[in-house]
């Protein structure tokens, strides 16, 4: 399984730290050329490799960590996203619901990534918390996951576990997913809460 993070701002870098901490290879890309990201990627860890957007979208699993309004530009990188898993780690705070066709933001994003298996996840923690070791006082920080494709959640849950998080499945995007989607200028009920799950 290959992974890429699209977007190398605070959230993209935080996720890169999570991968580096577990020595899991991950490609990082943004609107900037890869050479502009290379030094920062190397500083995070040897398993973090900067590549072009064109090369990054060849990964099996792509994590979207760009500003929400830029996701459609990323989607244009491929004519079909068939066979890809796209993890939406973005937040649409401040975007009027009518601009999203009154859909949950991730359902709106899914329309741009034709053929992809889209999972909402890794969006409810601030970047500094996401970058930190998720194992705290014997518990694991929670990552909420939701998708309209039930089969897509399992491999993303496995990735969350590999990164040290405790995945919690919330169901479909218009059900549990609504708990972690910003709507207009209102955050989802679970967003940014520092929740832990203790190991059994």
């Amino acid at each position: 399984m290959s992974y890429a993070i699209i977007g190398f701002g605070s959230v993209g870098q935080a996720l890169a730290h999570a991968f580096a901490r577990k020595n899991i290879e991950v490609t990082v890309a943004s609107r900037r050329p890869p050479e502009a990201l290379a030094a920062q990627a190397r500083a995070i860890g040897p398993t973090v490799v900067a590549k072009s957007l064109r090369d990054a979208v060849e990964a099996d699993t792509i994590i979207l960590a760009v500003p929400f309004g830029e996701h459609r530009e990323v989607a244009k990188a491929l004519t079909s996203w068939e066979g890809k898993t796209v993890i939406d780690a973005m937040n649409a705070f401040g975007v009027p619901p009518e601009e999203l066709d009154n859909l949950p933001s991730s359902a709106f994003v899914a329309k741009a990534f034709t053929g992809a298996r889209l999972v909402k996840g890794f969006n409810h923690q601030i970047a500094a918390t996401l970058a930190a070791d998720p194992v705290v006082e014997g518990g694991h920080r929670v990552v909420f996951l939701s998708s309209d494709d039930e089969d897509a959640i399992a491999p993303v849950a496995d990735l969350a576990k590999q990164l040290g998080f405790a995945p919690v499945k919330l169901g479909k995007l218009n059900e549990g997913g609504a708990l972690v989607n910003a709507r207009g200028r209102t955050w989802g009920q679970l967003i940014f809460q520092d929740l832990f799950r203790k190991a059994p």
Side-chain angles (χ1 to χ4, degrees):
M1 185 70 68
S2 55
Y3 303 101
I5 301 166
I6 308 300
F8 205 51
S10 57
V11 172
Q13 290 177 43
L15 287 164
H17 277 282
F19 277 84
R21 190 165 44 245
K22 296 297 184 177
N23 294 312
I24 300 172
E25 291 188 10
V26 65
T27 295
V28 295
S30 77
R31 291 174 300 176
R32 294 179 288 163
E35 53 269 23
L37 312 180
Q40 202 164 12
R42 284 194 301 269
I44 293 173
T47 62
V48 180
V49 181
K51 292 186 180 180
S52 68
L53 178 60
R54 183 185 296 259
D55 289 337
V57 296
E58 294 300 316
D60 301 311
T61 299
I62 292 101
I63 305 175
L64 292 176
V66 296
F68 185 82
E70 295 179 15
H71 74 272
R72 281 169 286 202
E73 287 302 310
V74 176
K76 293 176 184 177
L78 292 174
T79 54
S80 173
W81 289 78
E82 197 74 37
K84 305 285 186 185
T85 297
V86 174
I87 302 173
D88 176 11
M90 303 179 296
N91 284 306
F93 183 75
V95 180
E98 56 271 20
E99 290 187 17
L100 304 176
D101 299 333
N102 289 304
L103 294 169
S105 62
S106 292
F108 183 81
V109 169
K111 295 197 300 180
F113 290 84
T114 307
R117 307 168 77 185
L118 187 132
V119 178
K120 184 71 173 181
F122 296 98
N123 70 301
H124 72 280
Q125 295 171 346
I126 61 172
T129 301
L130 196 58
D133 190 339
V135 181
V136 180
E137 296 179 3
H140 296 252
R141 283 198 171 94
V142 165
V143 167
F144 296 112
L145 304 175
S146 55
S147 178
D148 290 341
D149 184 338
E150 190 171 329
D151 293 335
I153 292 184
V156 178
D158 288 342
L159 171 62
K161 288 178 184 176
Q162 288 180 59
L163 296 176
F165 295 93
V168 174
K169 302 173 187 178
L170 293 181
K172 295 187 175 183
L173 297 174
N174 67 345
E175 299 167 346
L179 296 173
V180 293
N181 274 291
R183 185 168 176 81
R185 302 195 68 80
T186 303
W187 290 113
Q189 291 177 330
L190 295 178
I191 207 159
F192 298 141
Q193 292 186 26
D194 197 10
L195 301 175
F196 298 87
R197 171 176 282 184
K198 297 288 187 180

